[in-house]
């Protein structure tokens, strides 16, 4: 569900830098011809409220498209709460002013998922001088990390894993510190799961809406060097599934040009699965690996 910021009904917490509250709604445009309306001229301590009602228990995944002329957006610049729950967000975007975007350098902040019971909720976003374009709210099965309804390709980011009960941080770190940003010298970046201790279990739950063939791949790396079958084992619905390197020449490990993040993919044999719940467990041992994402390709089942 997409909610345009300028269409929010409750504006009681809006504070303009100057002028009236209604004048905070303004148009933006980029040199490529794209344009729209947004909430700008935002003063410190503005509170943006989004109200929604759930008819049943659900998992909420939330993101906001934002910008800030003065540059980066820090963790304390946007505080988001639903009741007593403080939502944690992260981003790989840089924001700030660029001539190509006519000062409106939009980017996205993505929040950790939250499970909510049936009822009415008010989300409160307390902010400094950050502009808002729109918000995306996705409600899904509370027991699933990913629901696959149609045949196609789906990517799941490791840091979005909801069940972290099996995560074990390396000595001196916490589970929360295992989510970290990676960057390469070419400017590409993302988030991943690192500082992984021996015996960490990654659990990913899928809900398949119909029978299908499913091919999986995982993007991983290991500072200590190459990877071996002994570094991690994968079990799908109780059955062990062996992986192979997608590129046999990739040694993973450290790479100065890539700032130590030498990501590579491993692939799994195609599985024939019935509709319903699929549980994937990846257990890391003996110099465990860092985890970036998993990709799932769903296709029609083979007819007997």
């Amino acid at each position: 569900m997409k909610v345009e910021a300028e269409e929010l009904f409750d504006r009681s917490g809006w504070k303009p830098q100057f002028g009236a509250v209604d004048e905070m709604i303004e148009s933006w445009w980029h040199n490529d011809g794209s344009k729209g309306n947004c909430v700008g001229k935002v003063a410190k301590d503005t509170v943006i409220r989004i109200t929604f009602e759930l008819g049943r228990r659900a998992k909420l995944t939330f993101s906001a498209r934002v910008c800030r002329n003065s540059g980066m957006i820090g963790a304390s610049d946007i505080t988001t709460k639903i009741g007593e729950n403080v939502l944690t967000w992260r981003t790989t975007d840089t924001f700030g002013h660029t001539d190509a975007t006519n000062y409106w350098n939009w980017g996205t902040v993505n929040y950790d998922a939250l499970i909510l019971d049936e009822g009415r909720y008010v989300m409160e976003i307390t902010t400094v001088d950050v502009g808002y374009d729109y918000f995306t709210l996705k409600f899904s099965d509370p027991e699933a990390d990913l629901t696959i309804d149609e045949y196609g390709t789906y990517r799941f980011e490791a840091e979005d894993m909801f069940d972290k009960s099996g995560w074990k941080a390396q000595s001196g770190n916490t589970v929360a510190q295992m989510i970290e940003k990676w960057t390469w010298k070419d400017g590409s970046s993302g988030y991943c799961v690192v500082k992984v201790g021996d015996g960490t279990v990654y659990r990913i739950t899928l809900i398949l809406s119909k029978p299908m063939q499913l091919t999986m791949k995982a993007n991983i790396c290991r500072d200590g060097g190459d990877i071996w079958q002994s570094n991690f084992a994968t079990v799908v619905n109780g059955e062990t599934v062996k992986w192979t390197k997608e590129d046999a020449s990739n040694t993973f490990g450290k790479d100065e040009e890539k700032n130590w993040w030498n990501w590579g993919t491993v692939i799994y044999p195609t599985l024939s699965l019935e509709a319903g719940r699929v549980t994937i467990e990846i257990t890391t041992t003996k110099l465990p690996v860092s985890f970036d994402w998993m990709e799932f390709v769903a296709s029609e089942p083979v007819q007997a």
Side-chain angles (χ1 to χ4, degrees), residues 2 16 33 42 47 59 61-62 88 99 136-137 180 184-185 198-200 232 234-235 247 249 268 270-271 278 285 302:
K2 183 177 178 181
V42 178
V47 180
K59 181 172 68 176
T61 307
F62 177 67
T88 301
D99 290 333
T136 302
L137 295 85
E180 190 172 301
W184 281 356
K185 292 182 179 179
D198 284 355
T200 285
F232 65 99
T234 305
V235 175
D247 179 357
S249 66
Y268 296 85
T270 299
L271 304 173
V278 176
T285 57
V302 175

Side-chain angles (χ1 to χ4, degrees), residues 216-235:
M216 308 186 302
K217 70 169 63 173
N219 202 45
I220 61 175
C221 74
R222 185 166 75 84
D223 285 351
D226 208 348
I227 60 166
W228 309 95
Q229 291 291 339
S230 60
N231 295 138
F232 65 99
T234 305
V235 175

Side-chain angles (χ1 to χ4, degrees), residues 40 59 93 97 110 113 121 132 141 184 188 207 233-234 258 264 282:
K59 181 172 68 176
D93 296 323
H97 156 65
N110 298 295
Y121 294 91
Y132 290 83
D141 189 315
W184 281 356
S188 55
I207 299 295
T234 305
K258 296 178 179 179
I282 301 174

